């Protein structure tokens, strides 16, 4: 499933709860730990839920949607001499 907003996510999770289906939230599909090697309802957030909602350099925090690519966040934070850890090798595609 490719949710467009939080309401889509809530509806999908409610349906999964009703039928006992596992849920797998995903980003860009690197699956370094084998996350997609099973049966689940996959929620891919990268198409629509990929925004930086707030970046506050004074308080040193960011509020983002789950599909934001790490490098996009880092690029915006770097302007303020900030970064976001950890530093995975998939930084240009992981969410």
């Amino acid at each position: 499933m490719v949710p467009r907003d939080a309401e889509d996510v809530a509806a999908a999770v409610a349906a999964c709860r009703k039928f006992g289906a596992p849920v797998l939230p995903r980003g860009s599909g690197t699956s370094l730990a084998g996350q997609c090697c099973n049966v689940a309802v996959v929620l891919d957030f990268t198409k629509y839920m990929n925004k930086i909602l707030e970046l506050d350099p004074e308080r040193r925090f960011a509020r983002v949607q789950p599909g934001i690519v790490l490098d996009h966040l880092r690029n915006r934070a770097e302007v303020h001499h900030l970064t976001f850890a950890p530093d995975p090798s998939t930084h240009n595609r992981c969410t």
Side-chain angles (χ1 to χ4, degrees), residues 9-65:
V9 176
V13 170
C16 289
R17 183 181 305 117
K18 180 179 178 180
F19 294 102
V23 178
L24 176 62
R26 302 236 334 128
S28 60
T30 55
S31 278
L32 293 177
Q35 296 92 326
C36 261
C37 295
N38 211 330
V39 176
V41 174
V42 177
L43 301 178
D44 184 340
F45 295 104
T46 57
K47 187 169 185 178
Y48 300 111
M49 297 183 72
N50 58 12
K51 312 279 185 301
I52 297 173
L53 302 174
E54 180 180 7
L55 179 62
D56 187 335
E58 301 299 318
R59 292 169 36 202
R60 302 175 67 153
F61 82 88
R63 195 167 57 91
V64 301
Q65 293 178 319

Side-chain angles (χ1 to χ4, degrees), residues 60 76-83:
R60 302 175 67 153
R76 286 270 306 274
E78 194 173 272
V79 172
H80 305 285
H81 306 288
L82 299 171
T83 190

